[in-house]
Amino acid sequence: MDENEKIRIYKDRLRIFLILYVFSEPYSDLNFPNLKRIFKSEQRIQKIDFLLRNPDYLSFELINIAKGDLSKQLEIKKIVKDIFENKEPVIRRLEMERFFFGAYEDIDNVIAFLKSVDFIDFSSKKSIDLKTIEKKYFITQYAIDKFESAIKSLPALNWYVQRCGLIKNYFGDSSGSQLRISQYQIDEYKNTTYKEYIGGIQENVNTEFFNLYLEKL
């Protein structure tokens, strides 16, 4: 395994853990006192991860929000301008393939690692046709302590922590299915062939931004 592969594995583990941590909700069960937060649905992980890895798609979704909410137009304008001025759609982009239900990447090894270091636990059920369903992920007290005392302050994680917070602010109440439906409204995403990488939409964002704000990015 070369150095780039090692870095990618490290980043995947941190990014998925951040999604689980930031977007989870308080949880309490007397039978499992060490489990403190819960995150439901792998599909929701995948769709949040897509927004995290594709700043141009995040910008497109934010502009759609701004179109329907005048009170958010100025703040979203600044966010989108910052994203493009910092060239995030190029620098921060991490491609995902399109599978049957949209953007997807196998995270089984990441989840197994997070469980092995006692950061999370998880549960699931089997459907009648033996498919794995109703996946739930639980954050441990140990993980919370580690995150708050050390991981959170790592300079390399600062962008990811802030971006997760931004995504949560605008899309935190959305289910995985709702995020999937929203992402499928974008032609580049919808028309990507099965198991092909989903292409960027910077030009689409430029057009939508100009149509709304009468300014160029």
Side-chain angles (χ1 to χ4, degrees), residues 66-157:
K67 288 178 183 178
D69 190 341
L70 292 175
S71 68
K72 289 185 168 61
Q73 285 192 356
L74 288 179
E75 64 188 66
I76 287 176
K77 179 182 179 182
K78 183 180 186 309
I79 291 168
V80 174
K81 287 188 71 172
D82 286 347
I83 287 173
F84 273 72
E85 286 175 1
N86 292 326
K87 302 189 184 305
E88 289 183 19
V90 176
I91 296 171
R92 298 289 184 178
R93 176 173 170 76
L94 189 57
E95 292 178 315
M96 290 184 77
E97 293 179 342
R98 180 181 174 237
F99 278 71
F100 294 114
F101 300 105
Y104 173 84
E105 185 169 273
D106 190 334
I107 60 171
D108 287 352
N109 287 339
V110 174
I111 296 301
F113 171 80
L114 293 175
K115 179 175 172 60
S116 75
V117 296
D118 198 29
F119 269 32
I120 70 165
D121 203 347
F122 60 89
S123 68
S124 62
K125 296 180 180 179
K126 291 290 185 181
S127 63
I128 295 174
D129 57 359
L130 299 181
K131 291 182 179 179
T132 303
I133 60 172
E134 294 186 32
K135 292 184 179 180
K136 297 177 183 178
Y137 306 86
F138 304 91
I139 310 295
T140 66
Q141 183 63 57
Y142 174 74
I144 293 171
D145 293 342
K146 285 290 185 182
F147 179 78
E148 295 296 337
S149 65
I151 298 174
K152 186 178 181 179
S153 59
L154 290 174
L157 275 187

Side-chain angles (χ1 to χ4, degrees), residues 4 7 27 35 47 135 154 174-175 178-180 200 211:
N4 287 334
I7 292 172
Y27 175 80
L35 305 181
K47 303 318 169 194
K135 292 184 179 180
L154 290 174
S174 298
S175 68
Q178 289 170 327
L179 291 171
R180 176 175 61 84
N211 289 342

